[in-house]
Amino acid sequence: MKIEVWSDFVCPFCYIGKRRLEQALEQFAHKDDVEVIFKSYELQPHIQSDENVSVYEVLARKMGTTVEQAKAMNDQMVETAKTVGLEYNFDEVKQTNTLEAHRLFKYAEMQGKGLAFTERLMRAYFTESRFLGRPDTLIELAEEIGLDGEEAEDVLVSDDFLEDVRNDQREAQQIGVQGVPFFVFNRKYAISGAQPPELFQETLEKVWQEENETPSLQQIQPSADASCTDDGCEVKDDNN
């Protein structure tokens, strides 16, 4: 089974949704036969990374509220994150454009470390309040999961993997993704948002059953008016 997940590294619901999917997979008998693939999606592609702008200011501007109201909204998010074992620390988080992080993620994915880099970026942003808008931070995080620092730097000073990111975004638009996280199961079923683990569990079971169970044959019985032999069936004529 293949699960494709469109998400952004600075999306709080994406990290929560990731954990809820993982919780569901832990309860799934066929988890070793499931492949999870993350896809690139930018929540705010037009903003610039700025260490002088807090995440509260970004949220207030986006939602049309005050900074104090934005902070209260994030406080609620902190409590939601705790329910899945995550610790969110928003006070030092700054305005971040994630395009470079997504490009480097594509490099990590090519090296077989896409899932590890996704987790590391999200933990760095939400728990450690690391500024993902700095190339040196991204390189350091890449090295922490075993990627080559010089190669990571080469990616960031070039346009490498930009088209891969854009392809994910175009694909999201084609299949109707309007927000993240967005989970697609075998290109047949989709779940939008950080839904409860129970919904992920139900979907996993449903997809597995539909894709792997051999359908039983339903025998069509001949009518009483048909006489069948090894050579075929002959319909009887009541008039004879």
Side-chain angles (χ1 to χ4, degrees), residues 46-61:
H46 303 300
I47 68 170
Q48 299 295 318
S49 294
D50 191 337
E51 290 186 84
N52 296 313
V53 180
S54 74
V55 70
Y56 300 132
E57 294 173 271
V58 175
L59 183 60
R61 184 170 62 244

Side-chain angles (χ1 to χ4, degrees), residues 206-226:
K206 181 179 181 65
V207 174
W208 183 265
Q209 181 177 2
E210 291 182 359
E211 298 293 338
N212 292 279
E213 283 194 357
T214 303
S216 58
L217 292 175
Q218 297 184 28
Q219 184 174 347
I220 305 300
Q221 297 293 337
S223 70
D225 294 332

Side-chain angles (χ1 to χ4, degrees), residues 13-189:
F13 284 112
C14 290
Y15 203 7
I16 293 170
K18 179 177 182 293
R19 278 292 183 273
R20 288 177 174 171
L21 173 62
E22 291 166 350
Q23 289 176 347
L25 284 170
E26 282 301 313
Q27 304 300 316
F28 185 52
H30 310 286
K31 63 181 179 181
D32 292 337
D33 296 309
V34 177
E35 179 184 17
V36 179
I37 300 173
F38 278 82
K39 300 278 193 172
S40 294
Y41 190 98
E42 294 176 86
L43 276 177
Q44 299 189 71
H46 303 300
I47 68 170
Q48 299 295 318
S49 294
D50 191 337
E51 290 186 84
N52 296 313
V53 180
S54 74
V55 70
Y56 300 132
E57 294 173 271
V58 175
L59 183 60
R61 184 170 62 244
K62 180 180 179 180
M63 304 301 294
T65 65
T66 66
V67 171
E68 289 73 20
Q69 289 172 320
K71 188 177 187 306
M73 293 170 63
N74 271 0
D75 287 344
Q76 294 176 1
M77 186 68 67
V78 168
E79 295 305 311
T80 301
K82 288 179 180 179
T83 66
V84 291
L86 296 174
E87 181 181 352
Y88 280 7
N89 297 308
F90 286 113
D91 287 349
E92 299 302 320
V93 174
K94 306 301 180 183
Q95 175 173 296
T96 305
N97 180 287
T98 56
L99 178 59
E100 299 303 281
H102 280 292
R103 289 202 302 115
L104 197 56
F105 157 73
K106 287 298 182 182
Y107 160 72
E109 186 177 50
M110 187 181 71
Q111 301 298 318
K113 294 182 178 292
L115 293 179
F117 198 47
T118 295
E119 175 67 25
R120 187 66 191 95
L121 287 171
M122 288 182 166
R123 179 161 59 89
Y125 182 81
F126 289 107
T127 301
E128 301 168 5
S129 301
R130 302 279 290 275
F131 183 51
L132 302 186
R134 292 177 60 90
D136 57 344
T137 299
L138 294 175
I139 294 169
E140 182 179 338
L141 294 173
E143 290 176 328
E144 287 181 13
I145 65 161
L147 293 170
D148 185 275
E150 291 186 1
E151 290 185 6
E153 183 177 6
D154 289 342
V155 170
L156 294 176
V157 298
S158 69
D159 289 329
D160 290 353
F161 302 101
L162 176 60
E163 193 59 23
D164 297 88
V165 174
R166 296 303 184 219
N167 284 339
D168 281 356
Q169 294 168 336
R170 283 190 287 266
E171 194 173 18
Q173 189 174 31
Q174 290 168 359
I175 66 175
V177 179
Q178 297 182 352
V180 288
F182 194 85
F183 306 82
V184 178
F185 296 73
N186 276 8
R187 287 301 171 104
K188 189 171 184 180
Y189 296 102

